[in-house]
Amino acid sequence: MMKRVAKGLAVLGLVAMAAMPAFAKGPGDCRVQGKEGTSGGGYSGSASLTQTGAETWRIVWKIGSQTWTGFGIGNGEVVALNFTGGGRTGVMLLIAKEDGNGYAAAWAYTGEKEVGYEEWTKRR
């Protein structure tokens, strides 16, 4: 089972690397619209995604008066991040929109069972 998972991840990595030039969505500042889990309320804010290396990223995410910061890896089409703020930590997955105008995001606090969802739209 582990060999099959490792092999699948290796193939996925090769496909992602081959697709990098075509999917370079890149860093930028975005407007954020989201919902915290299935029972949570909606919110809005902003996020800034900065490329720090060939495949490393930094995020600053602001919702209301709260700020989270994080670090992640990815090719710009898909970016996986950890984040911290307000005494909490979590993980986030960004997937670039086909039109290149932002990201669809899913996130969760560490240890929680619900996932929050966001739409990021690049500011022009």
Side-chain angles (χ1 to χ4, degrees):
M1 175 74 167
M2 289 304 289
K3 280 185 179 182
R4 209 179 289 156
V5 170
K7 191 176 190 180
L9 289 173
V11 169
L12 181 61
L14 289 173
V15 169
M17 285 174 51
M20 259 193 287
F23 293 118
K25 303 300 182 191
D29 294 326
C30 296
R31 288 185 306 279
V32 173
Q33 292 286 338
K35 183 172 180 180
E36 191 168 345
T38 56
S39 59
Y43 58 85
S44 62
S46 63
S48 177
L49 186 63
T50 305
Q51 192 166 6
T52 59
E55 295 180 324
T56 59
W57 302 82
R58 182 176 192 281
I59 184 177
V60 178
W61 185 30
K62 296 181 181 185
I63 306 297
S65 63
Q66 297 182 2
T67 300
W68 292 268
T69 59
F71 182 78
I73 59 171
N75 64 4
E77 175 71 13
V78 177
V79 181
L81 301 138
N82 70 356
F83 64 84
T84 185
R88 300 187 84 177
T89 61
V91 294
M92 175 180 272
L93 182 63
L94 299 173
I95 299 182
K97 295 179 185 177
E98 286 187 28
D99 65 5
N101 193 34
Y103 291 90
W107 62 272
Y109 288 121
T110 302
E112 295 291 323
K113 295 180 180 178
E114 291 210 20
V115 175
Y117 297 96
E118 297 179 347
E119 288 293 321
W120 290 24
T121 305
K122 282 194 175 185
R123 295 181 186 212
R124 304 212 181 244

